[in-house]
Amino acid sequence: MKTIPLIVAGYGHVGRAFITLLKEKKEDLAVRYGLGFEIMALVKADGSYATGEPLDAASFSRDGKAWTEGNPSWQAGMKVSAAAASVAAGGCLVDCTPSELHSGEPGLSYIQEALDRGLNVATASKGALVVAFRRIMTEASAKGLSVKFSGATAAALPTVDVGMISLAAARIEGIQGVLNGTSNYILTRMGEGLSYADALQVAQSHGIAEPDPSYDVEGLDSAAKLVLIANACLGTDFIMDDVRAGGISGMPADVVRAARAEGKAVKLLAAASPSRKGKGWSLHVGPSVIDPTHPLFHVNGTEKGITFLTDTMGSVTVTGGRSSPRGAAAALLKDLVNIYRQL
Amino acid sequence: MKTIPLIVAGYGHVGRAFITLLKEKKEDLAVRYGLGFEIMALVKADGSYATGEPLDAASFSRDGKAWTEGNPSWQAGMKVSAAAASVAAGGCLVDCTPSELHSGEPGLSYIQEALDRGLNVATASKGALVVAFRRIMTEASAKGLSVKFSGATAAALPTVDVGMISLAAARIEGIQGVLNGTSNYILTRMGEGLSYADALQVAQSHGIAEPDPSYDVEGLDSAAKLVLIANACLGTDFIMDDVRAGGISGMPADVVRAARAEGKAVKLLAAASPSRKGKGWSLHVGPSVIDPTHPLFHVNGTEKGITFLTDTMGSVTVTGGRSSPRGAAAALLKDLVNIYRQL
């Protein structure tokens, strides 16, 4: 039995789901993988919970709400760098902070501090990696540390694993993905006859779209995932500015209906294609009309999917995977197991 | 640059495709993974090619045909045990022998000899593993060796990788697969109106079905793959006799047409389901009528697919992957890379 100390950063939907899931899976992880994970610190923007001992939910939460005032484990102002003192080298930072795509913060600083301390990283946040993917990976690799990010690349849908492990030794010749469940849900409802505005409203009423849906419907979420998947699977070093990204905001109902009438469908596709200039790749996100022979044609509603075209293995498509904080938490836990298990 | 010595066993379609692919990918493997593979011995039923030096194609083949008489590298009667003398511990046996599902031979003896010598194993053959999966895995694990078998479990379609790595920490609650391309091709053509006999004949004329198609159409190939996938992903210890297996041989055209008329389809499904008796699993292969919401509904022709149902990650489906000796060779090469790379 190997016990691994964790710092969890971020206590939003994903952070909470991760902590809950870790508790649920404790016995199973011990039996199946011989692994035990102990949360030594939980870091929020304004301080940390840390006592030098493993934390349980009562140390940082009452009735599911963060508990700070009068809480003996609450250390106002304590940051990752200080919290990491209670985590031995070889432990792991679990980054559940929000994705900020321009500065990459706070994840970027957190990940840097983790690597400085000899910690591995599992992140569900895209920010740091869209800003500094290659630098982070190179530094981790030089230190013999892992940085895994399944939770940031379509969560429970396997993308990077498949491209890096299942397709090892094959040459990937193209990637296409339906990577944003919210946009795909809206387009699916539009295919049933709704206007964009109505489909968005339905999505919002089901909690599928945010009150401000721009991150999803403008293609930013898809673009960020595409950057990470391309960098990991194609060995590139792209940032957000390298993606020609458009979204589905304000998509005319006519376009979707016309596609449907011809037996086709509109999807928000995120694609990496060989660059026309010969060497290298170009990344593109935008609505595309695809026909029923396309392997992502039947990916509907909030479902996601990704297709890899390869030289020796043909075309490989993965679809499904739960889209939710729990799905993201499951992806974080998968990465943790894969960092520490004996394979 | 790490150089890994290999013994290749078997020089049929897959063995030849593997040797060709290894040559094509030599530079790419060095650049991307820092790995070089050298074939130190090629073992056939009646002897081996081995000189103590790495072999090139001219050492064992003329115009693509095995070259024995008068060939200085041909050692009549030499078996894996002796050929392994030219391979240092830590090298790998690449098993491309035919799948014999009752005795598991010759693969079973070969794999045993490889493990005895401290060699890892990548196999495209199902025989040894359907006979003695758990024993082989336990012994390999105790010796710190890897036995990988992507080439035996639907080849270029990722199945075991996804179940073991991409879904790590999730509980798999069911597996369904369309695992045999030949049967699926026949059923697809039957869905277009052909009789079983005509569809089989078309498949044979395209080289998709063997002259004796029973291994594919009686469900044996699917059952063998299911045994391996279940044992790897569910931790079970099944053998062929544990599978209730039926095939599509002689399937009445009416049944397929009736399904089609209702918008449904007949698939040869291989399934692992929780046992009705409570604990454990039951394995089943047989034709099933599925409807368009089933994630494998659109897997047509020689294509294959697999769906995993999980507790935390929802349903994850993988489809595609080239069905050919080259696809199997690509799966062997993938396993080799994943055994020896730094991840």
Side-chain angles (χ1 to χ4, degrees):
Chain A
M1 180 81 173
K2 198 154 68 170
T3 301
I4 294 111
L6 305 179
I7 302 180
V8 177
Y11 194 57
H13 293 303
V14 174
R16 288 202 295 274
F18 172 76
I19 290 168
T20 302
L21 185 62
L22 191 60
K23 197 174 163 192
E24 281 175 37
K25 291 281 183 184
K26 184 176 177 170
E27 204 180 308
D28 194 43
L29 294 170
V31 171
R32 286 169 67 191
Y33 305 107
L35 294 175
F37 297 99
E38 286 180 341
I39 300 173
M40 299 302 295
L42 170 59
V43 179
K44 294 180 63 192
D46 51 348
S48 299
Y49 301 93
T51 63
E53 296 294 319
L55 301 172
D56 62 17
S59 317
F60 46 79
S61 162
R62 275 182 177 165
D63 306 326
K65 283 178 191 143
W67 172 47
T68 53
E69 207 174 332
N71 180 339
S73 75
W74 175 247
Q75 317 271 345
M78 182 190 265
K79 293 177 186 280
V80 164
S81 46
S86 50
V87 175
C92 195
L93 169 69
V94 180
D95 178 10
C96 307
T97 58
S99 292
E100 206 291 302
L101 302 181
H102 295 287
S103 67
E105 295 297 346
L108 188 58
S109 301
Y110 290 2
I111 290 174
Q112 188 60 58
E113 287 163 1
L115 296 179
D116 289 346
R117 287 259 174 189
L119 304 184
N120 297 295
V121 175
T123 180
S125 174
K126 298 166 192 67
L129 292 176
V130 295
V131 170
F133 186 91
R134 193 55 57 197
R135 176 167 72 74
I136 290 171
M137 290 300 158
T138 303
E139 181 173 340
S141 173
K143 292 183 168 166
L145 297 170
S146 293
V147 175
K148 290 194 178 264
F149 47 95
S150 296
T153 49
L157 175 76
T159 57
V160 172
D161 301 333
V162 172
M164 295 188 71
I165 296 172
S166 295
L167 303 178
R171 189 175 65 236
I172 295 173
E173 299 182 329
I175 301 174
Q176 293 200 324
V178 170
L179 300 178
N180 182 264
T182 304
S183 299
N184 201 43
Y185 179 84
I186 291 171
L187 289 172
T188 302
R189 300 308 302 260
M190 289 182 74
E192 293 161 10
L194 295 192
S195 69
Y196 174 78
D198 288 347
L200 172 60
Q201 200 172 28
V202 173
Q204 286 171 327
S205 73
H206 285 83
I208 292 166
E210 301 283 336
D212 173 1
S214 52
Y215 178 66
D216 292 315
V217 299
E218 303 292 355
L220 294 174
D221 175 71
S222 296
K225 288 169 181 164
L226 181 63
V227 164
L228 300 190
I229 293 167
N231 287 347
C233 300
L234 304 173
T236 53
D237 190 17
F238 287 119
I239 58 172
M240 289 295 284
D241 285 346
D242 296 320
V243 189
R244 280 186 302 130
I248 60 156
S249 175
M251 165 77 61
D254 291 359
V255 175
V256 180
R257 233 176 280 144
R260 180 101 176 178
E262 292 176 15
K264 299 180 178 179
V266 180
K267 297 286 173 197
L268 181 63
L269 284 190
S273 322
S275 169
R276 285 185 196 162
K277 290 170 195 157
K279 277 206 163 181
W281 291 87
S282 69
L283 305 189
H284 178 245
V285 173
S288 293
V289 176
I290 64 175
D291 66 37
T293 61
H294 194 289
L296 300 173
F297 183 85
H298 299 286
V299 174
N300 285 316
T302 58
E303 209 189 10
K304 297 185 293 258
I306 189 164
T307 298
F308 295 90
L309 304 176
T310 75
D311 60 340
T312 52
M313 293 188 165
S315 156
V316 170
T317 297
V318 195
T319 58
R322 181 170 287 163
S323 293
S324 67
R326 191 168 167 86
L332 284 168
L333 198 55
K334 161 182 85 167
D335 281 349
L336 283 175
V337 166
N338 287 331
I339 291 172
Y340 292 103
R341 78 201 289 192
Q342 299 285 344
L343 260 182
Chain B
M1 179 82 174
K2 198 154 71 171
T3 301
I4 294 113
L6 305 179
I7 302 180
V8 177
Y11 194 56
H13 293 304
V14 173
R16 288 202 295 273
F18 172 75
I19 289 168
T20 302
L21 185 61
L22 191 59
K23 198 174 161 191
E24 281 174 37
K25 291 279 185 185
K26 185 176 177 171
E27 203 180 310
D28 194 44
L29 294 169
V31 171
R32 286 169 67 190
Y33 305 107
L35 295 175
F37 296 99
E38 287 180 341
I39 300 174
M40 299 302 295
L42 170 60
V43 179
K44 295 180 63 192
D46 51 348
S48 299
Y49 301 93
T51 63
E53 297 293 319
L55 301 173
D56 62 17
S59 317
F60 45 81
S61 162
R62 276 182 177 164
D63 306 327
K65 284 178 191 144
W67 171 48
T68 54
E69 207 174 331
N71 180 339
S73 75
W74 175 247
Q75 316 272 345
M78 183 191 264
K79 293 176 187 282
V80 164
S81 47
S86 50
V87 175
C92 195
L93 169 68
V94 180
D95 178 11
C96 306
T97 58
S99 293
E100 206 292 301
L101 302 181
H102 295 288
S103 67
E105 294 298 346
L108 188 57
S109 301
Y110 289 2
I111 290 173
Q112 188 60 57
E113 287 163 1
L115 296 179
D116 289 347
R117 288 259 175 188
L119 305 184
N120 298 295
V121 175
T123 180
S125 174
K126 299 166 191 66
L129 292 175
V130 295
V131 169
F133 186 91
R134 194 54 57 198
R135 176 168 71 73
I136 290 171
M137 290 300 158
T138 303
E139 182 173 339
S141 172
K143 292 183 169 168
L145 298 170
S146 293
V147 175
K148 290 195 176 264
F149 46 95
S150 296
T153 49
L157 176 76
T159 57
V160 172
D161 301 332
V162 172
M164 295 187 73
I165 296 171
S166 296
L167 303 179
R171 189 175 66 236
I172 295 172
E173 299 182 329
I175 300 174
Q176 293 200 326
V178 170
L179 299 178
N180 182 263
T182 305
S183 299
N184 201 44
Y185 179 84
I186 292 170
L187 289 173
T188 302
R189 299 308 302 261
M190 289 182 74
E192 294 161 10
L194 296 191
S195 69
Y196 173 79
D198 289 347
L200 172 60
Q201 201 172 26
V202 173
Q204 286 171 326
S205 73
H206 286 83
I208 292 165
E210 301 283 334
D212 173 1
S214 53
Y215 178 66
D216 291 315
V217 300
E218 302 292 354
L220 294 173
D221 175 71
S222 296
K225 288 170 181 164
L226 181 63
V227 164
L228 300 190
I229 293 167
N231 287 347
C233 300
L234 305 173
T236 54
D237 190 16
F238 288 119
I239 59 172
M240 288 295 285
D241 285 347
D242 296 320
V243 190
R244 280 186 302 129
I248 61 156
S249 174
M251 164 76 63
D254 292 359
V255 175
V256 180
R257 233 176 280 145
R260 180 101 176 179
E262 291 177 15
K264 299 180 179 180
V266 180
K267 298 286 172 197
L268 181 62
L269 284 190
S273 322
S275 168
R276 285 185 195 161
K277 289 168 195 157
K279 276 204 164 182
W281 292 87
S282 68
L283 305 190
H284 178 246
V285 174
S288 293
V289 176
I290 63 175
D291 66 38
T293 60
H294 193 291
L296 300 173
F297 182 85
H298 299 286
V299 174
N300 285 317
T302 59
E303 209 189 12
K304 298 185 293 256
I306 189 164
T307 297
F308 296 90
L309 303 175
T310 77
D311 62 339
T312 52
M313 293 189 166
S315 157
V316 170
T317 297
V318 195
T319 58
R322 181 171 286 163
S323 293
S324 68
R326 191 168 167 87
L332 284 168
L333 197 55
K334 161 182 85 169
D335 281 350
L336 283 175
V337 166
N338 287 330
I339 291 172
Y340 292 103
R341 77 201 289 190
Q342 300 284 346
L343 259 181

